[in-house]
Structure formats: structure tokens, C-alpha cells
Amino acid sequence: MSDDVMAEIHRDYLFNLVLKGERDDGRAFDEFRDISIETGVAGMAEGSALVTLGDTQILVGIKIQPGEPFPDTPDVGVIITNAELIPMASPEYEAGPPREGAIEIARVVDRGIRESKAIDLEKLCMIEGEKVWIIFIDIHVLNNGGNIIDAASIGSIAALLSTTLPAERYGLGEDSPLPVRDIPVAVTAIEFGGELLLDPSLEEGKLAGTVYTVITNSDGGISGMQKSGIEPLTIDQVMRVVDMAGTAAVKIREKFLEV
Amino acid sequence: MSDDVMAEIHRDYLFNLVLKGERDDGRAFDEFRDISIETGVAGMAEGSALVTLGDTQILVGIKIQPGEPFPDTPDVGVIITNAELIPMASPEYEAGPPREGAIEIARVVDRGIRESKAIDLEKLCMIEGEKVWIIFIDIHVLNNGGNIIDAASIGSIAALLSTTLPAERYGLGEDSPLPVRDIPVAVTAIEFGGELLLDPSLEEGKLAGTVYTVITNSDGGISGMQKSGIEPLTIDQVMRVVDMAGTAAVKIREKFLEV
Amino acid sequence: MSDDVMAEIHRDYLFNLVLKGERDDGRAFDEFRDISIETGVAGMAEGSALVTLGDTQILVGIKIQPGEPFPDTPDVGVIITNAELIPMASPEYEAGPPREGAIEIARVVDRGIRESKAIDLEKLCMIEGEKVWIIFIDIHVLNNGGNIIDAASIGSIAALLSTTLPAERYGLGEDSPLPVRDIPVAVTAIEFGGELLLDPSLEEGKLAGTVYTVITNSDGGISGMQKSGIEPLTIDQVMRVVDMAGTAAVKIREKFLEV
Amino acid sequence: MSEKPEHFIIDGKRLDGRRVDELRSVKIKLSPLDRADGSCYLEWGRNKIMAAVYGPRELHPRHRQDMTKAVVQYRYNMAAFSVNDRIRPGHSRRSIEISKVGRDAFEYVLFTKFFPKTAIDIFIEVLQADAGTRTAGINAASLALADAGIPMRGLISACAVGKVDGEIVLDLMKEEDNFGEADVPVAMTAGGKITHLQMDGHLTRDEFYEALKLAKIGCDKVYKLQRQALIEKYSGEYAENDEDAIPQAQIGDADE
Amino acid sequence: MSEKPEHFIIDGKRLDGRRVDELRSVKIKLSPLDRADGSCYLEWGRNKIMAAVYGPRELHPRHRQDMTKAVVQYRYNMAAFSVNDRIRPGHSRRSIEISKVGRDAFEYVLFTKFFPKTAIDIFIEVLQADAGTRTAGINAASLALADAGIPMRGLISACAVGKVDGEIVLDLMKEEDNFGEADVPVAMTAGGKITHLQMDGHLTRDEFYEALKLAKIGCDKVYKLQRQALIEKYSGEYAENDEDAIPQAQIGDADE
Amino acid sequence: MSEKPEHFIIDGKRLDGRRVDELRSVKIKLSPLDRADGSCYLEWGRNKIMAAVYGPRELHPRHRQDMTKAVVQYRYNMAAFSVNDRIRPGHSRRSIEISKVGRDAFEYVLFTKFFPKTAIDIFIEVLQADAGTRTAGINAASLALADAGIPMRGLISACAVGKVDGEIVLDLMKEEDNFGEADVPVAMTAGGKITHLQMDGHLTRDEFYEALKLAKIGCDKVYKLQRQALIEKYSGEYAENDEDAIPQAQIGDADE
């Protein structure tokens, strides 16, 4: 049987499961796979976290160096977020500069951290208009088991929470923890067969017509969203995901206490 | 009938017209299509002009910022000219960095402006060797209806004439008009069936063996030339184009009074 | 007969020759082709050398300019080595940025010069951490007749020996010879039919399973090595090449006295 | 960047005199370009946007063809001179992301299955930018697709909603975008199916719900403007022969 | 870069307490990744390396296929945060060279002729770097290839030797690499056939010979660790059915 | 850049002693390279140029092939060390433009229709630059094409004319190019058909006409040098068998 036929059969199987309210791995629609967070794994980085979310494995490393602020924001530090979908992580990934998928991931994670004001960027200004700390968030996807965006979001904030400002190395005073004051959490849903499923597995993600991410803060507020994929959502569906995401984020945020 | 055969028939048709001293759109050999120039269309630019030449539409925007001079010309401002043949403008254009066609257009327009000394570059020097005004001429081709080079040349000088030096924005004194002191005009001819035709339409341009551009100044002098295409020209043909170009440029220059 | 069959026959022919202790061009296994070195051929360069090694022709040019040192080595000059396998030099070369073959050549030559301490880099520091001389070694392969790496190595050190520090041009004192204090020489062997052949011709190089380069200094010491190609070498074979390379390098170094 | 205003809304009026649920002025010109199969020039407040569509046409290189459907390509590009600080020509990470979500906004309404192995190319050029270029670009693209006669379930209409001075407002202008509390660009079918949705800033759940409902109102207004432009352009051409010649699918509702 | 230590060897002990012929501690984890056909995580002193293998699989684009054998592709990459000063993502000249010689190190033991038109892809990611990443990467790749079940004549084992304080030592750590007199990375089959060899610094002929012999001792040690890791992983899985199920070729000696 | 001289012409002599209608010294060496199908090394004053030709040969990738004729490819490149300030290797906008017009200069004389689907590749390397490299490159390319035995209607000959101190002069040297009033590079067939023409600076119509006529004189001189070089090279080889063996087309006039 051809690959296409196999894919068709598998799709029908998953579709019928969803109609019965079930998922292939037994999870409820609003249930995440197991999450584990290990920080400090990359010893040359100022902060790092290895996140596993089901089969997905992502390593996020934070590097910090002094540099110039952007001209239009002279009094705050700089965040630069980059995601690499290295060919190790999936047979579909190719070597080369980041493509739209990797860029979208990096930009959504970046917006979540930036808009939630999770990092106190004012404190990263040393001399207005001249010298600020530049924070590089590098998201290294090691194994794509689906829902990279949520794992990358968790990994990024976990890595930032473990980060030390390397002031001594640059002769700029004493080292100190990076001023992190919130834990934004991305929660992604897919629409499939009319149902909304959180934390899509790799298989589910491939079948999804729509991928919709909601980033919420500790206060329950929303600081970022991204819909991608070709199927539309109704306002009702959007609000259902918002509510599911808020609930799921609370549980995920508890994971950070265990680190 | 195949596209090739159609093209062949069309070529023969135009060729026979030219033998009778006629062009497809009824113009004389030395006649330009209608030209319109509208300035100030791009409000974020320091100067801009939308030029239509027959079906060709080109938007030129000028941006100016302070910067360092080139090391070998420390006492004059800098002109940087760039042309983008965006895929919107023609089914033949592709996205990506400028290719040889776009680079040639930008460099010919640039030479016309530079060699005619249309801009008083000495006046754009603020501190010798350290700080000068950098002028970016960005040529944005919106619709390729043929003879882009003349339209780009007209658009560039029209945009420059409408340009304000943004000194206030950079705290460098009062705004003032850009010091423009000449109106170089590019006039392009093609050789086809032994005849020389000015301002080739898209169709004519495709059939041309040679494209030959002459840039003249207000004093009638010549400040730039470019021959491209594979057919040769005789000295006589070259001089005939030079004379036709001088006459046509005078008429085109009158258009600037209407702006 | 197809190209493949021809290649097969030619391979067998060369293989049988080697078994008899012979090479196609009559050389002994440890014998180099004729070498000629001409310096000062590129007059705009601070130093240059045209090397011919059999049919191989390589032009190396040295350019020097003041610049900043690397942050981790603030008190020494900088060497930047680049090799261009331009499409002129071989039907197999393509235009474009250097590929792995060109990068490997540049890096091996660079290591030979750097590790032999042939250039007194301390003397190229003008102001610690701020201003040092930057030496660009540009290896331009004009004709690939085989064994580019040895010709590039010979050309690079010959060019450096002919180099003047252009201090006057930059208002940094008087011109002086570049402080060169050793002549590292790369000698390359291939393994073919169990035998080790020095200075492979183009044909021999194509048949080689392994290419192994040893760089030796005037004192007989080794300052660089590179094995490439897919066939392994035994420790004995490696040591035999080391001994052959040392002997050959002595003879090649004598060539420099003739320049 | 200019200074942050003290208040964005005074006596129910915004900095440019609009009410909180009012769009900026919109000007539409269909078919301004003759090389493209369809095109639209759109002024949206101080934004100036050109959109062009080519296709369905053969897709090169061939290995990028899809045997089962047309490949939709969307290229959002800002002219170097469209903003205060000149932009280096070429793709930026921002434009790559906007191009991706722009493409996603249209696939639902395009009958891509009808045109296997082809490309439908949508090009957006921002000539002058003043907040809201991605939604303005989607609106222009929607009209250029209709102008090209490419079969669609219906038009896509887009606008942004946001929050300033604690209030949810429609269609952020530059200052509101720079200094506001949230920005939510949305695109919908006429029936309210959301094909594009992003958000940044900070909103409570209820504020977001209010924002979505206001976005629906805004998109409805946009839809009327788009429909009106198409009727003006095409009813004249066809009216003498056939009252029904305006292709309903083009200006109709994907959801009816 | 830190200061150069006055002595590298005191009373026969190196800065980290090792003897001159001692490897750093090694930790091997097989199959840490499930998408790849084979993978290996390796800690080598303070180096942390991930290796993954895909293939033999179809090679794209097609014009790069070899009709007579599999094309071996090797990509050595350092994570941006793997060293003190952040590395810009993407290929550097250094990583391109290391990738080339890494590929060359494996072709001899891979039966590429069995798999024409395919690619065997070997990916090395350096997550934390502390001298010796290229040899550590080769060791991890060797195990990832075995984990992927790709037929091999035998394992490749690698280590570096060098010279500090005038002595030939095994497996240079960071300070020894930065300030030492020579560095010689070597890879071998279990039988001592050298498939990778580089050198920089300054050695006499006899010192180099001594270095090569020490490299052989080091590679033998590495080979034992690799073999042990494979036996631990695979003997359990197959033992119940067949004592001989551990594929000998995988962990055997290419030279026997 | 050096200082501008007060006068460029004193007592009818230029800075390097030439008259206004005199070329710099020219040295031609045919077939210096053995890998290329044809090659030419040319010294033109202080310029040093290497030209090589390959083809007609199969063109890759295949989609770039023209079913009706050979594709002429022309690559003008300056070595990094060919000028005072090192040039970054790789294409610049300047070299791309010069490559384009260089290609255009040759298509007329090449019988491209004889060789469909192939490429004729012309490579120019500027090893030392001193004004006039594009015309010197064309001259070298012309000889390399003849050396490769590629059928041509005739040779192309090129030189620049310009204006300094108010006078029209032949073959600008560096100072004249930097500080002169105009520069007009021209290439022609032996019969005076112009295949390459550029101009910058400022000339009246009549000055330009005078310049063109001087360019014709210059190109005639170049043609004689080129023809002489070919005869010296090839007459010896063929003379014994056949007096007419020098292929006339190669060194003849495309216009006869």
C-alpha cells in the first residue's frame, strides 16, 4: 500500500477516535503530555533548559553580552530570539538558514516574553542610548515530537529563570540573576474534526487544519496569540481555546516550582 | 498555435510595420509614450515620485540619513541607488536579491545623476571625513510596460527635486531642499529592422537586438551612456540616437515644469 | 566507449604502472614535478608569488591593512587566509562562495603558517587590544594541474617573504619587510595501490583514496597535518609519509634561495 | 519614535477624531496594474498598499508543485522608503512571518483543488506605512484576487482592534499601535469565520472577547467597502448584457 | 581566554588530576532521540555532544545522487550557546572543514555500495564545548550509526593527543588545547587503521610517532567504552531469543 | 586616491609620456593555461589580465539551457589583491554589470546557433588593475575564444577613450580615469561595428563624436596586435602543411 493510502487510513482512524472523544495516546482533549524541565544543562550558557514534552526535546540556551540598544528604545535591554529546526530533529528539516516555520516559532515565543513584560528590560540598561545587556535566546530543537511552540516557550522562560547576568566577565560589576518577573506560558490547540485538542502530538499536528496558540501570564491575562493553518475558527472556538489555554497554563506554571 | 509561432507572427507583423515607418501604437520612431509625474506620493520618504510612461509605472523614494563618507571621497555626500524589479511588476520577475538587469538599471541611473553633477554633493558634507548625508534612491518598479530605464531616470530626478534634507529629525539644523542643479534625462532607443525607435514598448523591447541609452543634461551635454543587447551599432547609428536623445530629452525636461 | 570505461582503463593502466614502481610521467614516487616561483607579480599587492608546480598555476597575493585584533588575542596581528577555486582553473570548479574543498585548502595553509610561527605576529601589534596589522593571504588558483595544497603553501610563504608592511600608506611610520622567520612547506602524498606517491598529478589525485599532507619547518619539526579521503592509513604508512615529506621539504625550501 | 501622548481618547474622540469603533478612511482602486492578472491599490488612513495577483499559473521549480492543489504564495514586502528609517531591501524576519500568516488567511477561500500543479501568487507592497499594514494588505489582496477572477468562496476582510486608555478600539493608528496596550489583527470571511488572528500586548479574557466582537463589526464594515468597490468596477461592465454577471462568489459570503 | 598556567603537569598529574595517558570521563546514552534512525548522547569531560543518523534514505535533490553508492553527509554544528562567546548560528569555515574530515573518517567503514542513490546523514550537535569536540563527535557518530543499524565494517574510535610541558599526553582538555604545544586528533578502526588525522602545533618526528602510538592506546580505550555501551543496550533486547543477535559487524573490528 | 595632477598633458605628452592617440604597451601570451579550452594572458600598461574560455560544453542546470543556441556566460572578476584596498572575494554590483555588458559584447560574433543547449564560458580574472580593465578583459577574452577554436565572425577589439585637460585622448591610465572629464569604453569588430559602448563624465555631442572616431583608431591598433599574436602562435604550427591554415574567421573581419 502506498504511503498516501496509509496516511489516509491513519487520518480516518484518528478522526473516528476524536468523534468518540478519544485521542490515540489516551489523553483528554485538554490534556498535555508529560513535561519535564531540566535547567543548567548547557554549562557555557548564562542559562539553559532542556524541555521534554512527550517525545519533543528542546534545548534552550541563553547568552548575554553588553551592546548598544536599538535607536528607538535607548533605555531598555535587547532580546533576540532565534529558533533552529536542525536536521537532526526531524527527517523533514533541512540544513540552512531558518525558514518561515522556525522564524514564526521564534517570533511567537519572543512576543510572549516581550509582551508579558516577563523580563524587566529597564533594569538591563547600563548607559541610556549606549550600553545595555543583549539577551540571546537560542532555541535548539533536538527532536520534533510535535507542538514545538509550547515546548520552546516553556524552555525559554525556564532558561531565563535560571540565567545569571555575567557582569563580572565583562568587568561590569557583580553577577546577578536576570530580573524575571512573570512566567508567560504558550498553550497550543488544533482544530480537528470540529474538536479542539491541546498539545497536539506530531501526528495530530500533521492532520490539523489550524494551529492556534494562546500565551497567558500569571495574572490570567493574555499577552500573545498566533493562528496559523488554513482552516478558519469561529469566535466561539477561539474563546474556547482561550479558556482551555488559561486553565492548562496554570498547571504548566506549577511545573516551574519543581525545577 | 504554439506561443513560439504566435511570437514569430507578431515579430513579423511589427517588423513589417517598421519597414513602413510605423509602430504598433501609432507613434513616430522618435516619439515617447505619455509621461506623467506625481511627486510626494510616498509620505514617509524624504522625496518621492510616481512616474507612468505608457503602461510602465515606477515609484522612486528617497531616504536620507547622516553617515560616514567613503574613505577616498571624504568631503562629499554619498548616493546609493538601488532598483527592485519586484515580482508584482511582471510575470517574468522573481523574488530575491537584485539580478544583473536590476543592477544595470540602478547603475545607469546612478551614473546619470552622479556624472551630470545634478546633486551638489559637496554641500552634503557636514564634517570632512566623518559625517555626510547619505542619499538612498530606491527605484520600485510596480508595472513593467517597457523602457524601465527611462522611467526610472525620470522618476529618480523628479523624486530628488521634491526632496527635503531632514536635518531637524537628526538634530542637525533646519530642513532644507536637496541641492539639485540639473535634470539629467535618460533616453533609450532600440535598433529593430535597421531602424532606431525611442522609448520601446514592452513588445518592442523584447524584439530589440540592441538597447542603447543616452543621458543628456540641461546644457545638451552627455553625461552617461549604456549599450546592451547583442546586435552591434555603427558609429552613424550611435550618433543618430545621440541626436534623437538630445531632442527628446528637451521635451521630457519640460514635463518637470508641470509637476 | 563511454567516459566511465575510459576512466576504468586509465585507472588500471596507472595501477599497473605503480605496481611496477613507475608513474605516468616518469617520476619516482618521492619526486616532485618542476617548481617555479616568481614573486612581485601582482603589483598592487603588498607581496605576491606565482607558483607553477607541473601544470598547476597558483597566484598568491598578500594585502595588509590596519585593524582591530581578535578579542582573545589582543597583542598579536591577524592572518586571514582565503582560497578561491575560480571556474577558470578547472572545468569542475563553479562560481560562487568557497566550498569545502577551497575552505580546507585555505585552512591547512593557514595552519601551516600560523603553527610554524613563520610570521612574528607579536611584531604586528601596534596598540594592544586596539590596532594591529591584518594580513590577508588570498590564494588564487589559475590552473588546476593537481596538488593544489602544496603549490598554495609554497606560494603563500613565498608571497609573504616578498611582502612589505605598508606603514607609510596608512601614516604609521616607515615601510618595512614583513617579519618572516621560517619557511613551512607542505608536502602531500596519496595512497594508491598500497604505495605512497608524493606530489600527485591531477590524474593521480583523482584516483587516490587518501590525500595526506605534512607540513614541516626549517628545523625538521612538523607544524601541520591533514588527512582527507576515504581510505585509511596505517601508522607505518603515516610515518613513511612523514619521513618522505621531511626530505622533500628540504629540497623545496632550497627553491626559495633561487627566488 | 515620537513621545507618548498623555491621553488617546478625549471626550470619546481619538487623536485623529475617530470614535472608538470607527475605521480610518479607506480608498480603493481596482486594476491599477496591467501586467498582473488582478491588482488593487488601497489607501487605509495614511497606509498606501499595492496588491497584485498572478495565477493560477505554472509553478517553478517543478519539485515545488503540488499534484493535488494550487500552491498559494504570499509575499508581503515593505518598500525601502515606506517608513521613517530606511529598510534594507529584501526579506526580514518580520516580513517572512507576515507573509506566512497572510498566505494562511486566504487558503480557506481559494478553491486550490481546482488548479493542481499551479501557483496562485499574491504580492503585497507597502509603499507608505502607518500601522495596520498587514490587515490592509489582506484587504487589498482579497480585492486583487477578485479582480484576477480567481474563484473564491468569498472575500476576506481584515482589521485590527486594540486597547488604548483602557478601552477597546477599532483600527489602531500609528500612535495607538506604538504606545497602546494591545493589538489584535483579525481577518474573517463575511460570515465571521476567522482566517487570521494574532495578538500582542495584554488583555484579560473578557477584554479579548470584546475585542473579537468589535473586530467582527470592523470586518463587516470593510466587507461593505470591498463589495461596493467590486460592484462599482464590474457592474458597469456587465450590466448591459446581464444583470447577474457580477460573479456572486467573488463578492458573496463564503458562509452562506 | 584565561591565563596560561605555569605548569600543566605536576607530579605526573594534570590540571584535572588525570595521568598523561588517561581519558576524561565518558558517559554514553544510546537512542536519546526517537525521530532519528539512530542517535547517541555523549558526555566527554565537559563536552556535551548529540549525534543523530538518518538513512540510508533517498537523497534530494536528485542530481546529487550517486548511482554507484550512498552519499555520506556529515554536519558538525555548534549550538550558539555552546561556548563562552555566542556563535552566530549557521556554518562557519571551521565547521565546514570539520564536517568534511568527519565525513571522510566514516566512509571506509560504511558499505556505501549497498545503497546506491541514497544518503546516509550524520548530524553532530555540540551543546557544550570544552576541547576535543571533533573527536567526541566522531565517537558519538560511530555509536549513532550502530544504533541506526547501518551496516559497518566496524566502529570508529577517536581521541586527540597533544604535547604540554614537553610531554605527549592523551585527550587534551581546554587549557591544554589553548596553551599546549601541539594537538593531534586521530580516529581509527579497532584494528588501528587511521581514518582521520590532523595536527597542528610543533612536534619532532619522534614526538609525533610517540603521539600516534599513544593515540592508538587512547582509541583502544574509547573502543572498549563504545562496545560496552552497545552491548548493554542491545544484549538485553536480543538475549532471550538469540545470544548472537548483537550484530558483530557493528561492534566488531573492521580489520579482523 | 592620489592628488589630482595640475596638468595631464604637457607639450603634447601625457603623464606617462604617451601622445593623445597612443595606447599603453601591450603584451599578449596565448594559451598560458592548459585546463581551459583557450586562454590568454594580457598585460595592458600596468593591468594584468587572465582570460580563459571553456566550451561549447553542456550547460548545467538543464533548465538554463536554450534549445536554439549556446548560452554565453561571461564572468569578470577582480582578484582580492588586484587593487590598493583589498576587495572582498565574490561578485560586486560593479562586476555583475561589467560581466553583463562583456557578454553582450561577444554574442554578435559567436555562432551560438551552431551549439544549442551548450554554454560558452568566458572567464576574466583581473590580477592587477590600473584603469581600463573591462576593455583589456574584452581583448583578452577575444583571444582566448580564438585560442579555444570557437567559431567566430571575427575578433572583438576594445579600448577606452576619454577627455582630460579638455582634450580627447586614447586609453585612459589610472590618473586620467580618476580625475578626467569623461571615460568611454568601446568594443568593435574589425569593421567598426560597435558591440560594447558605455560612457560617463561630460562630453558635448561633437566631443563624443570625436571620441568615437578616436576609439575606432584605437580599436584598429588593438586588432592588429591581436591578429599579430594569433599569427605568431598559429602560423608556425600550421605553416608547414597549409599556408591558409590560420583560420581566417578567427582573425578576420566580421564585416567583410
Side-chain angles (χ1 to χ4, degrees), chain B residues 97-114:
Chain B
R99 297 173 195 216
E100 60 174 34
I103 288 170
E104 186 179 32
I105 290 166
R107 285 178 61 84
V108 172
V109 169
D110 186 277
R111 280 204 292 270
I113 288 163
R114 193 181 300 274

Side-chain angles (χ1 to χ4, degrees), chain D residues 175-230:
Chain D
E175 290 81 358
E176 293 168 340
D177 187 33
N178 285 348
F179 302 108
E181 293 149 63
D183 179 23
V184 188
V186 181
M188 295 183 181
T189 64
K193 289 188 177 167
I194 297 167
T195 65
H196 168 78
L197 172 59
Q198 293 180 295
M199 182 264 181
D200 57 43
H202 191 279
L203 292 177
T204 65
R205 187 244 183 236
D206 292 343
E207 285 169 340
F208 173 68
Y209 186 44
E210 189 188 338
L212 264 193
K213 286 185 293 186
L214 182 56
K216 174 78 176 71
I217 292 168
C219 289
D220 285 347
K221 292 183 185 185
V222 173
Y223 174 72
K224 289 202 181 75
L225 294 168
Q226 290 172 309
R227 189 182 164 105
Q228 182 62 27
L230 286 172

Side-chain angles (χ1 to χ4, degrees), chain B residues 184-235:
Chain B
V185 172
V187 171
T188 293
I190 58 165
E191 191 271 347
F192 182 52
E195 299 292 333
L196 298 161
L197 283 64
L198 295 194
D199 181 28
S201 68
L202 188 66
E203 291 285 333
E204 291 169 342
K206 280 183 183 165
L207 298 172
T210 285
V211 178
Y212 175 40
T213 300
V214 178
I215 303 173
T216 48
N217 305 332
S218 306
D219 68 1
I222 306 162
S223 61
M225 285 187 183
Q226 183 90 343
K227 176 191 173 307
S228 65
I230 70 176
E231 292 298 322
L233 290 172
T234 63
I235 291 183

Side-chain angles (χ1 to χ4, degrees), chain C residues 40-46 48 55 57 59-63 65 80 82 84 86-93 95-96 136 138-140 142-145 169-170 202 206, chain F residues 29 31-36 40-41 43 46 48 50-52 54 57 75 77-87 89-91 123-130 174:
Chain C
V41 290
M44 298 296 168
E46 272 69 83
S48 61
D55 290 332
Q57 292 183 50
L59 180 54
V60 180
I62 311 293
K63 291 297 299 177
Q65 59 193 43
I80 295 172
N82 186 54
E84 298 279 314
I86 52 177
M88 163 180 286
S90 164
E92 282 112 35
Y93 295 167
F136 292 95
D138 280 292
I139 299 164
H140 224 68
L142 297 175
N143 200 63
N144 176 13
R169 192 196 314 156
Y170 294 100
L202 188 67
K206 280 184 182 163
Chain F
K29 186 177 172 191
S31 311
L33 308 178
D34 80 325
R35 297 307 307 282
C40 174
Y41 173 70
E43 291 188 6
R46 299 186 64 212
K48 295 185 179 180
M50 187 72 84
Y54 286 87
R57 61 179 177 180
R75 180 181 185 263
N77 184 51
M78 297 187 87
F81 47 78
S82 63
V83 288
N84 252 324
D85 293 316
R86 177 175 184 268
I87 298 173
H91 271 322
F123 301 117
I124 306 294
E125 292 290 325
V126 178
L127 306 176
Q128 184 171 312
D130 189 70
K174 185 95 191 142

Side-chain angles (χ1 to χ4, degrees), chain A residues 11 23 26 39-40 47 52 56 59 62 67 84 98 107 118-119 157 160-161 165-166 177 189 212 225 233 235:
Chain A
R11 187 191 157 81
R23 294 169 84 168
T39 57
T52 61
T56 291
L59 179 56
I62 311 293
E84 298 279 314
R107 286 178 61 84
I119 301 175
I157 194 69
L160 288 166
L161 282 165
L165 265 182
Y212 175 41
M225 286 186 184
L233 291 172
I235 290 182

Side-chain angles (χ1 to χ4, degrees), chain F residues 199-228:
Chain F
M199 183 262 179
D200 57 43
H202 190 279
L203 292 177
T204 65
R205 188 243 183 236
D206 292 344
E207 285 170 340
F208 173 66
Y209 186 44
E210 189 189 338
L212 264 193
K213 286 185 293 187
L214 182 57
K216 174 77 175 71
I217 292 168
C219 288
D220 284 347
K221 292 183 186 185
V222 174
Y223 174 71
K224 289 202 182 74
L225 294 168
Q226 290 173 307
R227 190 181 163 103
Q228 183 63 27

Side-chain angles (χ1 to χ4, degrees), chain A:
Chain A
M1 252 180 308
S2 77
D3 285 2
D4 286 355
V5 175
M6 284 299 289
E8 192 71 25
I9 289 171
H10 194 66
R11 187 191 157 81
D12 289 348
Y13 164 73
L14 290 179
F15 187 80
N16 284 321
L17 269 184
V18 164
L19 291 187
K20 289 191 280 179
E22 292 175 20
R23 294 169 84 168
D24 198 18
D25 54 10
R27 283 188 286 155
F29 287 176
D30 61 353
E31 187 179 347
F32 265 65
R33 293 168 292 175
D34 283 343
I35 298 170
S36 83
I37 305 170
E38 188 185 352
T39 57
V41 289
M44 298 296 168
E46 271 71 82
S48 61
L50 176 68
V51 167
T52 61
L53 172 61
D55 289 333
T56 291
Q57 291 182 50
I58 293 183
L59 179 56
V60 180
I62 311 293
K63 290 298 299 178
I64 300 187
Q65 59 192 45
E68 283 183 37
F70 289 122
D72 55 350
T73 52
D75 56 349
V76 296
V78 170
I79 303 176
I80 295 172
T81 306
N82 186 54
E84 298 279 314
L85 304 180
I86 52 177
M88 164 181 283
S90 163
E92 282 111 34
Y93 295 166
E94 288 172 38
R99 298 173 194 215
E100 61 176 33
I103 289 170
E104 186 179 32
I105 290 165
R107 286 178 61 84
V108 171
V109 169
D110 186 277
R111 279 204 293 271
I113 289 163
R114 193 181 299 275
E115 300 292 338
S116 68
K117 303 191 197 311
I119 301 175
D120 190 348
L121 290 178
E122 280 81 7
K123 291 207 177 134
L124 300 184
C125 177
M126 291 178 282
I127 306 171
E128 186 172 328
E130 283 185 31
K131 200 177 203 175
V132 301
W133 289 108
I134 300 178
I135 301 178
F136 291 94
I137 303 174
D138 281 291
I139 299 164
H140 223 68
V141 179
L142 297 175
N143 199 63
N144 176 14
N147 196 13
I148 287 176
I149 209 156
D150 292 357
S153 159
I154 293 167
S156 296
I157 194 69
L160 288 166
L161 282 165
S162 77
T163 294
T164 298
L165 265 182
E168 286 175 32
R169 193 197 313 158
Y170 295 99
L172 294 166
E174 280 180 28
D175 286 3
S176 59
L178 188 71
V180 180
R181 52 190 181 187
D182 203 337
I183 299 178
V185 172
V187 172
T188 293
I190 58 166
E191 191 272 346
F192 183 52
E195 297 294 333
L196 299 162
L197 283 63
L198 295 194
D199 181 28
S201 69
L202 187 67
E203 291 285 332
E204 290 169 343
K206 281 184 182 164
L207 298 171
T210 286
V211 178
Y212 175 41
T213 300
V214 177
I215 303 174
T216 48
N217 305 332
S218 305
D219 68 2
I222 306 162
S223 62
M225 286 186 184
Q226 183 90 342
K227 175 192 174 304
S228 66
I230 69 178
E231 292 297 323
L233 291 172
T234 63
I235 290 182
D236 275 1
Q237 285 176 317
V238 164
M239 292 312 299
R240 265 166 57 208
V241 175
V242 167
D243 291 334
M244 289 162 84
T247 307
V250 171
K251 283 191 211 156
I252 292 168
R253 213 169 278 113
E254 286 166 7
K255 284 276 166 195
F256 284 84
L257 302 177
E258 301 167 12
V259 179

Side-chain angles (χ1 to χ4, degrees), chain C residues 62-82 110 113-114 119-127 129-138 160 163 165 178-179, chain F residues 86:
Chain C
I62 311 293
K63 291 297 299 177
I64 300 188
Q65 59 193 43
E68 283 184 35
F70 289 122
D72 54 351
T73 52
D75 55 350
V76 296
V78 169
I79 302 176
I80 295 172
T81 306
N82 186 54
D110 187 277
I113 289 163
R114 193 182 299 276
I119 301 175
D120 189 347
L121 290 178
E122 278 81 9
K123 291 209 176 130
L124 300 183
C125 178
M126 292 179 281
I127 305 171
E130 283 185 29
K131 202 179 204 176
V132 300
W133 289 108
I134 299 178
I135 300 178
F136 292 95
I137 303 173
D138 280 292
L160 288 166
T163 294
L165 264 183
L178 189 71
Chain F
R86 177 175 184 268

